[in-house]
Structures are given as C-alpha cells and as structure tokens.
Amino acid sequence: MCGIIGYVGPLGAVGIVLSGLQRMEYRGYDSAGLAMLDSADGALKRVRVSGKIPDLQRAVEQELPEPVAGRCHIGIGHTRWATHGAPTVSNAHPHLSRNGRIAIVHNGIIENYLPLKQRLIGKGYRFESETDSEVLAHLIEECYDGDLHRAVAMALEMVEGTYGIAVVSSQHPDVIVAARKGSPIALGVGNGENIVASDVSAIVNYTTRVIYLDDEDIATITPAGVQISSLKNVPVNRELRHVDWQPGELEKGGFEHFMLKEIHEQPEALANAIRGRLLEKDGTTRLSGVQMEPADYARVSRIIIAACGTSYFAGMVGKYHFESLADLPTEVEQAAEFRYRNPIIERDSCLLAVSQSGETADTIEAVREARRKGANVLGICNVVGSTIARETGRGVYLHAGPEISVASTKAFSCQVVVLAMLAIAFGRARRMSAGVGRDLVAGLARVPQLAEAVLRQTDHIRQVAEKYADAEHCFYLGRGYMYPVALEGALKLKEISYIHAEGYHAAELKHGPIALLDETVPVVAVVPDVHGRSKTVNNMQECRARKSPVIAIATEGDDEVDQFADDIIRVPPCPDFLAPVPVVVAEQLLAYYIARKRGCPIDQPRNLAKSVTVE
Ligand code: F6R
C-alpha cells in the first residue's frame, strides 16, 4: 500500500527519499512523488509521476537538476496506491496547500473529506486532485498561525478516518511533522539527522534505532531530535527500539525475484521460527511471548483465529491443529467480517490475530473488537513492533525475516508452524500425553528439512510449471489439512500469474464446479499421504474422466497416484500436521514458474499491495 518517507539532516534529502521509496516499492503502488525544500530560495519543489520509481528518478533529474538537488536537506516522498481517484500525476502525493508553503503525504482514508472539501471550496480553496488527502494540506494552511505542530494537530482533530502523515513547510526549514492514526509511522533516530517512514524497511539502511508512533501521536522531527505529543499537545514518551533486520536482508541476494528468494529462505525461516521453542524432553513448546502458564492455557475453552488472505488460510490450518492436537473448538474468521458481526466472545475465548505485516486494517480492528469484549488476545506476527504486535502486547513472532514480495510465502509456512507450536502448548496443558507431545515436537524439529527436500526439486517443478503456463483457468483440490493448502495454492497462482484459479474442497467438486472441467482446465490435486488422501485420489479420477490434465502433489513412494496424474510433484513423508509446509513450498514454486513463463511482474502484481492498511 502507500508508502511515506521523509528526511531531515545534513545529507542530500533527494537521494535518501528516492532510495526509501525504492525500498517500499514491494508494498505495491501506481504513482509516486516527492517535495523538497530548496535551501537557496526557501521554496518547496515538488516532482510527481504516474508510474514507478525509475520514472520519478528521471523526472527528478530533469526538474531538480544539480545543484538544486544538492541544496535540499529536508524533504518528503510518497508511493501511492490509488483509492480515491485514478493513479494520475495530479492525484499523486505530495499535495501542496493553496499558498504552496505546506506539503503533505498521507496514507489512510479521510472519511469525511467531502464535507471538509465543500467547506474549504466555500472559503476559496481550489482543489487540483480527486483525492481525500488534499484536504489535509488546505486544512493545515487554514489552521496555521506560525506553529506547524499545532496546525497539523488542529487539522487532524477535524478529520474522521485513518492517517499516517508527514508534513513539511517552507516556513520551517528544518522541521517535519508526522502523525498517525490507524496507519503506521516509524521514526528512524540518527545522529544529527532523522527519518520518518511508514515502513521500517525504508529506515534500516540508515539506522536501526526506531520509535513507533501510537495512534493520535504527533511528532516534530528536526535534525537534533524528535518530540512526540498527543493531538491535545500532552507530551508522550515512546520506547526507542532496535530493529534486528540487516540491510542485506532486503536485497535479492542473486535471485531473480524476492518471491523466489523468500521461497528458498524457508528452511532457514522455519529453523528461526522453532529455535529455542521446542522442549523435546517434556514433549511441549515454550513460547515466552504469550506470557501464559499451563493453568492459563488450560482455562481457555475456545480459540478464534482472525486473519486475511494467506494468513487466513494459515489460520484454517491452525483450526485443524487446535482441534486435533489440543481438543479445542476453533473458529477461523475473515477479519473483515469479524469486526462487522456481533462475534460471540466468551470469557474463556482466546483470539489469535494472524498477520505477517501486523498492519492489516481489518485484522487490527478484529483485535480491538475482541479486546473490547474482554477476550484474551494474542498476536501472531512477523514484523516486530508492528501495530498488532504492540496492541496485543503478547503473542508469538514468526522470525521469518522481512517478506518483501507482495505474494506471501515464507510467512505462511512459519504461521503454520507457530500455530502448531501453540496448539501443542495448549494440548499439553489439557489432555495431550507427554509421549504424544514428544512425537509432535520431534516432527517439528525436522520441518526445515521438509522444505529443503522440496526445494531440491525446483528444476522438475519448473518443467511441470512451464507445461501449464498457457492455462486460463485452474483448480486446486484438497481435503482435511490439504483443503486450506489447496486454497492457498490457488491464491498464489492467481495473484502472480493472473490465471483464474479456484481452490475447492475436493468433495465440493461434484456440487457444481465439475461442470467447468475440460481438457483446457488443469487440476492440481493436493494428495500427500495424509488423512483423506484416498478420497481425493478418487476425485482425481473424476477430473481425468472429464479430460482435465491432473498435476498431483503426492508423497514420495506413493505410486498409486501415478496412473491418475499427468504430472507429479513429490513431497517427503511427514506427519499430517506438518504436511502443509512441504506442499505449500511445491505450490509456491509451481505458481512462481508459471508466472515467470508468462512474463508477469512477480514481486509486484498489478492492483496488489503488500500490506492492506485500509478496509
Ligand atoms: C497473499 C497475501 C495477502 C496477505 C493478506 C494479509 O499472498 O500476501 O493475501 O496474506 O493481505 O496480510 P497480513 O498477513 O500482513 O495481515
């Protein structure tokens, strides 16, 4: 989604802002821009494009040639993912106030922008964009009486909705004012220079010392430091945190795409996810971040998992874990639905908010609703210090490392494993014996090898993928643990290859979708040797009978499937609860190589954003 970056300090702001924007490209965007303060004439200079960062770079070279660029030591930039208004230059940020002295970049949605806009038009303000964001620039100008911090606070008091915002003004040549409500803002604290960004990946190249703003915080950022207060001007202290991402982690490391790199990182990511958390002797797991004793685990009578997209499918796998390993009734909720129903949350319910980014708006709101209803809430996040991690204050980090590719890969497999570890902790506090716990934990210790075994077959999977790259429709079928994994396989294929792919419970095929099968519609049968396999093998035969080519994802040595499949991808044998991991690695590689053969922009698929921070 949209990205914000701002710099103030002795260095050239143009280069820093451009490279910050580049680091946030993975979030998905369709236009970009920056505003710089030229120290020679004290004027704000703005450059915007409808397009990508290289287009912006070229525009900057023309419109801010040296020595102008070298004279800019403060500036803000933005990548925009269109919501209100098409991705045109005039809708791109930064937006300028009427007098041209204030520039703003904004993430989020101003819900009451229409009445505010009408009122401002009545006062003679002219709007050059169709965006909701532009009202902020004019409101700040209207409120300004010499104090930028106060003007921004007053303007924000008038808006309803969500915002992450950064503001510069030609009247304050060394000040950026930033604020947040519902849309993340982080401050990178340097020596004699400071950065503001919506995403720490834009900061870690300069500093690993980061302060996250809370909702309704407003910060004044100068080269000398940062001061944070509430919108009501009450000073607040926010913790200085150290981000453990290394700049190198944000590079492609020789892979053609971030997605391929992240698929290949899974053995290491999984090893990090389980490190120090398996108690093999006691047959249980230790997840200190959840801050629960066995008695607390035992008191929980129901699990609710709220998540979106890929994290939702991992949550569906979690349902199988909690029911089969911990005997706990479990519901999985699409977070967007959860917040608008009247979810029944009893005192002993535990809500797990599963989110790679920890910034997904619907999942954040599910957390807030569950807390209002008194539930025990845990965050299962990858991004340390993200909104969900901070608001829940308790939970489990994935430790998967930064996920840059828009299509989620390593987060899914780590979520599956973290949910399994949590289910074992719950199970052991309830009815699970030490012996069963020890077997499960021993299985988990081998999970990185399961991913590795599939990665060794990359060449074979690429050859299979290339055969099917011309398909326009595709089905993924599975049951039991493989049902959510089939849904995830279909999601991966559709988002990066633009092939229309449907994931179905294998038994549902006969209830309608089988009408669509013919020789042009391949079916991916997800049939590793887990409970329910033989029934899905029967469904493979039904697909064959309708002439659909069948690609089977099956266990090594399971020769029975050969006669019903046109192509087979093998996964290593493993316990049922871990099978989603090797199978999803196979699905990710299949989707990746199909998309690559079709020439798709794999890391930034059209219309998609990495982190969906609006409803
Ligand atoms: C798909 C994908 C999305 C995300 C979803 C939730 O590849 O990446 O479906 O899984 O937007 O994001 P998080 O996990 O950050 O809450």
Side-chain angles (χ1 to χ4, degrees), residues 30 59 72 75 78 82 181 191 244 271 329 383-384 396 408 418 429 460 498 509 558 561 569 581 593:
D30 32 41
C72 299
H78 191 257
K181 183 178 173 192
N191 283 326
D244 58 3
V383 177
V384 176
V396 192
S408 189
V418 163
H460 168 64
Y498 312 147
L509 188 69
D558 178 1
V561 297
I569 298 170
V581 172
Y593 282 109

Side-chain angles (χ1 to χ4, degrees), residues 116-391:
L116 290 170
K117 188 170 173 174
Q118 290 311 325
R119 186 176 66 71
L120 288 162
I121 289 171
K123 289 185 149 194
Y125 285 85
R126 281 214 156 70
F127 281 75
E128 61 161 30
S129 79
E130 302 156 285
T131 67
D132 53 330
S133 308
E134 193 183 352
V135 293
L136 286 170
H138 301 312
L139 280 178
I140 295 167
E141 180 185 308
E142 193 192 29
C143 298
Y144 182 76
D145 64 356
D147 182 336
L148 186 62
H149 182 102
R150 194 166 62 216
V152 176
M154 284 168 67
L156 293 177
E157 293 271 28
M158 288 185 235
V159 304
E160 287 161 21
T162 55
Y163 53 79
I165 179 176
V167 183
V168 287
S169 163
S170 54
Q171 288 128 303
H172 299 267
D174 61 355
V175 175
I176 302 176
V177 176
R180 86 158 259 174
K181 183 178 173 192
S183 203
I185 289 285
L187 312 179
V189 180
N191 283 326
E193 58 182 348
N194 287 300
I195 298 185
V196 53
S198 54
D199 186 323
V200 283
S201 63
I203 292 178
V204 289
N205 250 27
Y206 299 95
T207 176
T208 53
R209 299 193 308 152
V210 171
I211 296 172
Y212 295 95
L213 294 192
D214 274 358
D215 274 355
E216 303 201 4
D217 282 355
I218 173 165
T220 291
I221 303 141
T222 64
V226 299
Q227 283 180 322
I228 308 173
S229 73
S230 69
L231 288 186
K232 304 264 183 256
N233 209 20
V234 179
V236 290
N237 265 328
R238 299 287 171 228
E239 194 186 335
L240 181 69
R241 296 163 188 256
H242 286 266
V243 178
D244 58 3
W245 292 1
Q246 298 306 313
E249 286 185 89
L250 303 172
E251 313 291 342
K252 283 191 205 143
F255 287 92
E256 197 176 336
H257 295 98
F258 280 113
M259 181 177 178
L260 189 60
K261 175 182 175 236
E262 288 158 13
I263 293 171
H264 279 267
E265 279 171 350
Q266 283 174 107
E268 196 189 334
L270 289 161
N272 290 338
I274 58 174
R275 180 163 297 125
R277 291 169 163 176
L278 303 183
L279 303 180
E280 304 200 4
K281 198 159 73 49
D282 300 329
T284 189
T285 57
R286 177 180 46 211
L287 301 164
S288 41
V290 303
Q291 300 165 35
M292 280 165 72
E293 298 300 324
D296 302 317
Y297 283 117
R299 255 193 301 277
V300 171
S301 62
R302 199 159 70 105
I303 299 285
I304 304 165
I305 299 174
C308 301
T310 288
S311 297
Y312 172 74
F313 296 144
M316 285 176 71
V317 174
K319 176 178 166 74
Y320 287 86
H321 288 334
F322 282 101
E323 290 178 351
S324 61
L325 308 180
D327 292 329
L328 267 170
T330 304
E331 286 157 42
V332 196
E333 295 267 2
Q334 269 158 352
E337 198 51 34
F338 181 85
R339 60 187 286 199
Y340 289 116
R341 289 196 296 108
N342 179 25
I344 309 301
I345 299 173
E346 288 136 357
R347 185 189 296 227
D348 297 328
S349 301
C350 177
L351 181 120
L352 309 180
V354 182
S355 172
Q356 187 285 129
S357 62
E359 302 295 351
T360 299
D362 286 319
T363 314
I364 293 173
E365 286 305 325
V367 166
R368 292 177 182 162
E369 181 59 18
R371 290 182 69 176
R372 275 182 222 116
K373 291 196 142 88
N376 191 352
V377 182
L378 301 178
I380 314 282
C381 299
N382 190 35
V383 177
V384 176
S386 56
T387 302
I388 293 176
R390 284 180 295 123
E391 290 202 8

Side-chain angles (χ1 to χ4, degrees), residues 54 79 107 159 222 244 307 330 437 447 471 500 505 594:
T79 45
N107 289 353
V159 304
T222 64
D244 58 3
T330 304
V447 77
H500 167 226
H505 190 284
I594 289 178

